[in-house]
Amino acid sequence: SEREKVPPIESAKRMFSKFGSNANKFSSSANASLKDSFRKIQEGVEKHVDASASVIKNLKENKNKVEHVYCETEDEALQVIQEWIEKAKSDTPHDKRPQKWNFATTPLGCFDKTLDDVFLSFCRWAKEYDSKRINVTKAYDRLTSYATWMDKTNRDMIDPPLTVASIEKSWKSWGMKVSHDKAGHLVWWLDLSQIDSTELKKIPPDESLRLFVWFSHFLMFDPKAQESGCVFVQNTGKIPFWNGMTQLVPPRLAQKVQSLTIGVIPVRMKQIYVCESPKWTQILLGIMKPFLSQTVKERIVFIENPKVLEDILGLDCIPSNFVGTDGKMEKDVVSSTYSVEL
Protein backbone atom coordinates (compact mmCIF):
# COMPACT_ATOMS: atom_id res chain seq x y z
CA SER A 1 0.00 0.00 0.00
CA GLU A 2 1.01 3.60 -0.51
CA ARG A 3 3.07 4.90 2.41
CA GLU A 4 1.29 7.48 4.54
CA LYS A 5 2.47 10.97 3.72
CA VAL A 6 3.27 12.79 6.95
CA PRO A 7 4.36 16.46 7.05
CA PRO A 8 7.98 16.90 8.32
CA ILE A 9 6.89 18.71 11.50
CA GLU A 10 4.42 15.97 12.49
CA SER A 11 6.94 13.29 11.53
CA ALA A 12 9.57 14.71 13.89
CA LYS A 13 7.06 14.94 16.72
CA ARG A 14 5.97 11.33 16.23
CA MET A 15 9.56 10.12 16.22
CA PHE A 16 10.40 11.80 19.50
CA SER A 17 7.11 10.74 21.04
CA LYS A 18 8.03 7.13 20.27
CA PHE A 19 11.54 7.78 21.57
CA GLY A 20 10.16 9.11 24.86
CA SER A 21 7.64 6.30 25.30
CA ASN A 22 10.44 3.74 25.10
CA ALA A 23 11.58 4.95 28.51
CA ASN A 24 8.51 3.26 30.02
CA LYS A 25 10.03 -0.13 29.18
CA PHE A 26 12.68 0.37 31.85
CA SER A 27 12.06 -0.72 35.44
CA SER A 28 10.45 2.05 37.44
CA SER A 29 12.61 1.65 40.52
CA ALA A 30 16.06 1.89 38.93
CA ASN A 31 15.24 4.24 36.08
CA ALA A 32 12.85 6.89 37.41
CA SER A 33 15.35 9.64 36.62
CA LEU A 34 15.95 8.09 33.19
CA LYS A 35 12.25 8.30 32.35
CA ASP A 36 12.11 11.89 33.51
CA SER A 37 15.11 12.78 31.34
CA PHE A 38 13.51 11.16 28.29
CA ARG A 39 10.36 13.18 28.94
CA LYS A 40 12.33 16.43 29.21
CA ILE A 41 14.19 15.71 25.97
CA GLN A 42 10.91 15.02 24.20
CA GLU A 43 9.33 18.24 25.52
CA GLY A 44 12.39 20.26 24.58
CA VAL A 45 12.53 18.95 21.02
CA GLU A 46 8.78 19.41 20.50
CA LYS A 47 9.11 23.03 21.63
CA HIS A 48 12.05 23.42 19.24
CA VAL A 49 9.97 22.01 16.38
CA ASP A 50 6.99 24.26 17.15
CA ALA A 51 9.18 27.35 17.55
CA SER A 52 11.12 26.68 14.35
CA ALA A 53 7.95 26.05 12.36
CA SER A 54 6.35 29.21 13.73
CA VAL A 55 9.36 31.36 12.82
CA ILE A 56 9.54 29.92 9.30
CA LYS A 57 5.79 30.40 8.78
CA ASN A 58 5.88 34.03 9.99
CA LEU A 59 8.90 34.85 7.85
CA LYS A 60 7.24 33.45 4.74
CA GLU A 61 3.94 35.22 5.42
CA ASN A 62 5.61 38.58 6.08
CA LYS A 63 7.81 38.23 3.00
CA ASN A 64 4.78 37.64 0.80
CA LYS A 65 2.36 40.24 2.12
CA VAL A 66 4.49 43.20 3.26
CA GLU A 67 5.70 45.92 0.94
CA HIS A 68 9.24 46.54 2.14
CA VAL A 69 10.73 49.97 2.70
CA TYR A 70 14.37 50.58 1.75
CA CYS A 71 16.88 53.30 2.63
CA GLU A 72 20.21 54.14 1.05
CA THR A 73 22.04 55.24 4.20
CA GLU A 74 22.20 54.22 7.85
CA ASP A 75 21.14 57.69 9.00
CA GLU A 76 17.98 57.51 6.89
CA ALA A 77 17.19 54.00 8.10
CA LEU A 78 17.75 54.99 11.73
CA GLN A 79 15.33 57.89 11.39
CA VAL A 80 12.64 55.64 9.91
CA ILE A 81 13.09 53.08 12.70
CA GLN A 82 12.77 55.81 15.34
CA GLU A 83 9.61 57.15 13.69
CA TRP A 84 8.02 53.69 13.50
CA ILE A 85 8.73 53.01 17.17
CA GLU A 86 7.17 56.32 18.19
CA LYS A 87 4.14 55.52 16.04
CA ALA A 88 3.80 52.09 17.65
CA LYS A 89 3.80 53.79 21.05
CA SER A 90 1.29 56.48 20.10
CA ASP A 91 -1.11 54.02 18.45
CA THR A 92 -1.57 52.22 21.77
CA PRO A 93 -3.44 53.71 24.77
CA HIS A 94 -0.98 54.78 27.45
CA ASP A 95 -2.31 52.36 30.06
CA LYS A 96 -1.93 49.44 27.62
CA ARG A 97 1.29 50.55 26.01
CA PRO A 98 3.77 47.66 25.80
CA GLN A 99 6.85 48.11 27.96
CA LYS A 100 9.04 46.43 25.36
CA TRP A 101 9.66 49.71 23.54
CA ASN A 102 11.38 51.07 26.65
CA PHE A 103 14.18 48.50 26.19
CA ALA A 104 14.63 48.46 29.97
CA THR A 105 16.29 45.03 29.95
CA THR A 106 18.80 45.78 27.19
CA PRO A 107 22.32 45.89 28.74
CA LEU A 108 23.38 49.22 27.26
CA GLY A 109 25.59 50.33 30.14
CA CYS A 110 27.73 47.20 30.08
CA PHE A 111 28.72 47.84 26.47
CA ASP A 112 28.71 51.66 26.69
CA LYS A 113 26.05 51.82 23.98
CA THR A 114 22.88 53.81 23.30
CA LEU A 115 19.52 52.79 21.87
CA ASP A 116 20.61 54.24 18.53
CA ASP A 117 23.49 51.73 18.56
CA VAL A 118 20.93 48.95 19.06
CA PHE A 119 18.80 50.20 16.16
CA LEU A 120 21.84 50.57 13.91
CA SER A 121 22.91 46.97 14.56
CA PHE A 122 19.56 45.85 13.12
CA CYS A 123 19.92 48.21 10.15
CA ARG A 124 23.38 46.82 9.36
CA TRP A 125 22.08 43.26 9.65
CA ALA A 126 19.33 44.11 7.12
CA LYS A 127 21.74 45.58 4.56
CA GLU A 128 21.55 43.85 1.18
CA TYR A 129 24.75 42.29 -0.16
CA ASP A 130 24.56 43.56 -3.73
CA SER A 131 22.93 46.98 -3.62
CA LYS A 132 23.94 47.81 0.00
CA ARG A 133 20.45 49.22 0.48
CA ILE A 134 18.96 48.72 3.93
CA ASN A 135 15.69 46.82 4.15
CA VAL A 136 14.17 48.86 6.98
CA THR A 137 11.04 46.71 7.14
CA LYS A 138 13.17 43.63 7.72
CA ALA A 139 15.23 45.44 10.37
CA TYR A 140 12.12 46.69 12.17
CA ASP A 141 10.45 43.26 12.15
CA ARG A 142 13.47 41.65 13.80
CA LEU A 143 13.84 44.57 16.21
CA THR A 144 10.21 43.99 17.24
CA SER A 145 10.95 40.31 17.91
CA TYR A 146 14.03 41.32 19.90
CA ALA A 147 12.10 43.87 21.98
CA THR A 148 9.40 41.29 22.73
CA TRP A 149 11.91 38.59 23.72
CA MET A 150 13.92 40.88 25.99
CA ASP A 151 10.77 42.23 27.63
CA LYS A 152 9.68 38.70 28.55
CA THR A 153 12.84 38.24 30.63
CA ASN A 154 11.23 40.59 33.19
CA ARG A 155 13.86 41.37 35.84
CA ASP A 156 16.11 38.38 35.12
CA MET A 157 18.51 40.54 33.09
CA ILE A 158 18.50 43.62 35.33
CA ASP A 159 18.45 42.18 38.84
CA PRO A 160 21.38 42.05 39.12
CA PRO A 161 22.40 44.05 36.03
CA LEU A 162 24.24 42.25 33.25
CA THR A 163 27.92 43.11 33.65
CA VAL A 164 31.21 41.42 32.83
CA ALA A 165 31.62 40.55 36.51
CA SER A 166 28.15 39.00 36.69
CA ILE A 167 28.83 36.54 33.84
CA GLU A 168 32.50 35.86 34.57
CA LYS A 169 31.95 32.54 36.38
CA SER A 170 29.55 31.25 33.72
CA TRP A 171 31.90 32.30 30.91
CA LYS A 172 34.80 30.39 32.43
CA SER A 173 32.64 27.31 33.00
CA TRP A 174 31.52 27.25 29.36
CA GLY A 175 35.07 27.87 28.14
CA MET A 176 34.03 29.96 25.14
CA LYS A 177 36.52 32.01 23.12
CA VAL A 178 36.14 34.74 20.50
CA SER A 179 38.46 35.85 17.70
CA HIS A 180 38.47 37.43 14.24
CA ASP A 181 39.60 35.30 11.31
CA LYS A 182 41.67 36.34 8.30
CA ALA A 183 38.50 37.17 6.34
CA GLY A 184 37.22 39.54 9.03
CA HIS A 185 34.52 37.29 10.51
CA LEU A 186 33.95 37.10 14.24
CA VAL A 187 34.65 33.49 15.24
CA TRP A 188 32.91 31.94 18.25
CA TRP A 189 34.78 28.91 19.63
CA LEU A 190 33.20 26.27 21.85
CA ASP A 191 35.20 23.15 22.72
CA LEU A 192 32.91 20.76 24.60
CA SER A 193 35.77 18.29 25.14
CA GLN A 194 37.43 20.75 27.52
CA ILE A 195 34.34 21.64 29.55
CA ASP A 196 34.31 20.38 33.12
CA SER A 197 30.75 19.04 33.28
CA THR A 198 30.92 18.89 37.09
CA GLU A 199 31.66 22.61 37.29
CA LEU A 200 29.11 23.43 34.61
CA LYS A 201 26.39 21.66 36.57
CA LYS A 202 27.03 24.11 39.42
CA ILE A 203 25.94 26.98 37.18
CA PRO A 204 22.15 27.49 37.45
CA PRO A 205 20.38 27.46 34.05
CA ASP A 206 19.22 31.06 34.63
CA GLU A 207 22.85 32.16 34.99
CA SER A 208 23.81 30.37 31.78
CA LEU A 209 20.90 32.12 30.04
CA ARG A 210 22.17 35.48 31.31
CA LEU A 211 25.57 34.62 29.86
CA PHE A 212 24.13 33.85 26.42
CA VAL A 213 22.06 37.06 26.47
CA TRP A 214 25.18 39.05 27.36
CA PHE A 215 27.18 37.26 24.67
CA SER A 216 24.46 37.85 22.07
CA HIS A 217 24.80 41.58 22.67
CA PHE A 218 28.58 41.33 22.45
CA LEU A 219 28.12 39.77 19.00
CA MET A 220 25.58 42.30 17.75
CA PHE A 221 27.76 45.24 18.84
CA ASP A 222 31.02 43.89 17.38
CA PRO A 223 31.94 46.00 14.30
CA LYS A 224 33.45 43.07 12.36
CA ALA A 225 30.48 40.84 13.13
CA GLN A 226 28.17 43.58 11.87
CA GLU A 227 30.15 44.00 8.67
CA SER A 228 31.28 40.46 7.81
CA GLY A 229 29.14 38.15 9.94
CA CYS A 230 30.04 35.32 12.32
CA VAL A 231 31.50 31.83 12.18
CA PHE A 232 30.72 29.26 14.87
CA VAL A 233 33.22 26.47 15.56
CA GLN A 234 32.19 23.71 17.93
CA ASN A 235 34.21 20.69 18.92
CA THR A 236 31.81 18.09 20.31
CA GLY A 237 34.62 15.84 21.49
CA LYS A 238 32.71 12.66 20.59
CA ILE A 239 30.52 13.17 23.66
CA PRO A 240 27.92 10.44 24.27
CA PHE A 241 24.30 11.13 23.31
CA TRP A 242 23.07 11.15 26.90
CA ASN A 243 25.64 13.68 28.08
CA GLY A 244 25.01 15.94 25.11
CA MET A 245 21.23 15.96 25.45
CA THR A 246 20.81 16.20 29.23
CA GLN A 247 23.97 17.19 31.07
CA LEU A 248 25.82 19.92 29.17
CA VAL A 249 22.78 21.80 27.91
CA PRO A 250 19.47 21.12 29.71
CA PRO A 251 16.59 20.99 27.16
CA ARG A 252 14.77 24.00 28.62
CA LEU A 253 17.91 26.15 28.55
CA ALA A 254 18.56 25.03 24.97
CA GLN A 255 15.01 26.00 23.99
CA LYS A 256 15.36 29.49 25.51
CA VAL A 257 18.74 30.13 23.92
CA GLN A 258 17.42 28.92 20.58
CA SER A 259 14.40 31.19 20.79
CA LEU A 260 16.86 34.08 21.21
CA THR A 261 19.14 33.10 18.34
CA ILE A 262 16.43 32.22 15.79
CA GLY A 263 14.78 35.31 14.36
CA VAL A 264 15.70 37.67 17.24
CA ILE A 265 19.31 38.87 17.40
CA PRO A 266 20.74 40.75 14.38
CA VAL A 267 23.68 38.45 13.64
CA ARG A 268 24.54 36.80 10.33
CA MET A 269 25.90 33.28 10.85
CA LYS A 270 28.07 32.69 7.78
CA GLN A 271 29.38 29.22 8.61
CA ILE A 272 29.10 26.54 11.30
CA TYR A 273 31.93 24.04 11.67
CA VAL A 274 31.32 20.97 13.82
CA CYS A 275 34.47 19.02 14.72
CA GLU A 276 34.80 15.49 16.10
CA SER A 277 31.06 14.98 16.01
CA PRO A 278 29.56 11.68 17.18
CA LYS A 279 27.07 9.99 14.86
CA TRP A 280 24.06 11.06 16.92
CA THR A 281 24.64 14.76 16.23
CA GLN A 282 24.45 14.15 12.49
CA ILE A 283 21.31 12.07 12.95
CA LEU A 284 19.72 14.84 15.01
CA LEU A 285 20.60 17.39 12.35
CA GLY A 286 19.02 15.12 9.75
CA ILE A 287 15.80 15.13 11.76
CA MET A 288 15.80 18.93 11.97
CA LYS A 289 16.68 19.53 8.29
CA PRO A 290 13.03 19.88 7.21
CA PHE A 291 12.84 23.03 9.36
CA LEU A 292 16.08 24.57 8.09
CA SER A 293 16.43 26.72 5.01
CA GLN A 294 18.65 25.52 2.20
CA THR A 295 21.10 28.31 3.03
CA VAL A 296 21.42 27.18 6.66
CA LYS A 297 21.87 23.54 5.62
CA GLU A 298 24.76 24.51 3.36
CA ARG A 299 26.45 26.47 6.13
CA ILE A 300 26.73 23.52 8.52
CA VAL A 301 29.96 21.62 7.83
CA PHE A 302 31.12 18.50 9.72
CA ILE A 303 34.90 18.27 10.06
CA GLU A 304 36.73 15.09 11.08
CA ASN A 305 40.16 16.71 11.40
CA PRO A 306 40.10 20.14 13.13
CA LYS A 307 43.53 20.92 11.67
CA VAL A 308 41.91 21.97 8.38
CA LEU A 309 40.61 25.03 10.25
CA GLU A 310 44.17 26.40 10.17
CA ASP A 311 43.88 26.92 6.41
CA ILE A 312 40.24 28.02 6.49
CA LEU A 313 40.41 30.57 9.31
CA GLY A 314 44.12 31.17 9.98
CA LEU A 315 46.41 30.02 12.80
CA ASP A 316 46.42 33.36 14.61
CA CYS A 317 42.68 33.25 15.35
CA ILE A 318 42.55 29.67 16.66
CA PRO A 319 42.77 29.29 20.47
CA SER A 320 46.07 27.73 21.53
CA ASN A 321 44.28 24.94 23.37
CA PHE A 322 41.70 24.10 20.71
CA VAL A 323 41.91 20.36 20.21
CA GLY A 324 43.65 18.97 17.12
CA THR A 325 45.17 22.29 16.01
CA ASP A 326 48.33 24.36 16.48
CA GLY A 327 46.37 27.53 17.22
CA LYS A 328 48.37 30.56 18.32
CA MET A 329 45.77 32.75 20.05
CA GLU A 330 46.57 33.06 23.75
CA LYS A 331 44.11 35.83 24.69
CA ASP A 332 40.77 36.12 22.98
CA VAL A 333 38.82 39.21 21.91
CA VAL A 334 36.53 39.26 24.96
CA SER A 335 39.42 39.10 27.44
CA SER A 336 41.34 41.76 25.51
CA THR A 337 38.32 44.04 25.25
CA TYR A 338 37.59 44.01 28.97
CA SER A 339 41.19 43.60 30.15
CA VAL A 340 40.30 40.60 32.28
CA GLU A 341 41.10 36.91 32.12
CA LEU A 342 37.73 35.54 31.11
Side-chain angles (χ1 to χ4, degrees), residues 230-283:
C230 300
V231 172
F232 177 48
V233 183
Q234 174 180 295
N235 176 50
T236 57
K238 302 290 185 181
I239 57 175
F241 172 79
W242 199 247
N243 291 351
M245 292 296 286
T246 63
Q247 296 184 22
L248 290 179
V249 186
R252 292 187 180 181
L253 172 62
Q255 189 272 329
K256 288 183 178 180
V257 172
Q258 188 176 51
S259 69
L260 170 64
T261 56
I262 295 181
V264 173
I265 61 171
V267 173
R268 294 195 194 99
M269 192 60 67
K270 310 294 283 188
Q271 202 78 54
I272 299 174
Y273 295 108
V274 184
C275 308
E276 295 189 332
S277 61
K279 189 65 175 179
W280 67 264
T281 59
Q282 299 182 42
I283 294 174

Side-chain angles (χ1 to χ4, degrees), residues 56-121:
I56 293 172
K57 180 181 177 182
N58 290 338
L59 288 175
K60 287 181 178 179
E61 289 179 349
N62 289 338
K63 184 177 181 180
N64 292 333
K65 71 182 182 181
V66 175
E67 184 177 348
H68 289 221
V69 173
Y70 294 88
C71 286
E72 298 295 332
T73 68
E74 291 183 359
D75 288 341
E76 293 172 350
L78 177 60
Q79 183 176 348
V80 174
I81 291 283
Q82 292 169 334
E83 290 174 354
W84 286 356
I85 291 175
E86 289 305 314
K87 186 176 187 304
K89 290 180 179 179
S90 62
D91 287 349
T92 308
H94 191 276
D95 59 337
K96 297 181 180 179
R97 190 165 296 171
Q99 295 298 310
K100 67 182 182 183
W101 294 120
N102 295 332
F103 296 95
T105 58
T106 298
L108 298 174
C110 179
F111 297 97
D112 194 25
K113 299 295 182 181
T114 67
L115 278 180
D116 282 354
D117 292 316
V118 174
F119 302 156
L120 282 171
S121 69

Side-chain angles (χ1 to χ4, degrees), residues 138-202:
K138 183 178 178 180
Y140 180 76
D141 286 346
R142 179 154 291 206
L143 176 62
T144 301
S145 298
Y146 164 84
T148 301
W149 195 97
M150 290 298 297
D151 184 57
K152 288 180 180 179
T153 63
N154 297 316
R155 300 193 61 82
D156 292 345
M157 300 301 145
I158 58 177
D159 189 15
L162 271 180
T163 62
V164 173
S166 72
I167 57 91
E168 182 176 358
K169 185 176 180 180
S170 299
W171 179 270
K172 289 180 177 178
S173 295
W174 279 95
M176 297 190 293
K177 301 292 182 183
V178 178
S179 64
H180 295 119
D181 69 8
K182 59 185 180 182
H185 304 114
L186 180 144
V187 187
W188 170 16
W189 301 87
L190 180 60
D191 190 346
L192 299 182
S193 69
Q194 298 190 34
I195 291 180
D196 186 336
S197 59
T198 302
E199 289 299 314
L200 189 59
K201 287 180 183 178
K202 297 178 182 178

Side-chain angles (χ1 to χ4, degrees), residues 20 23 34-44 252:
L34 188 63
K35 289 182 180 181
D36 185 58
S37 295
F38 268 116
R39 179 183 57 79
K40 289 180 179 178
I41 292 174
Q42 180 185 348
E43 290 177 353
R252 292 187 180 181

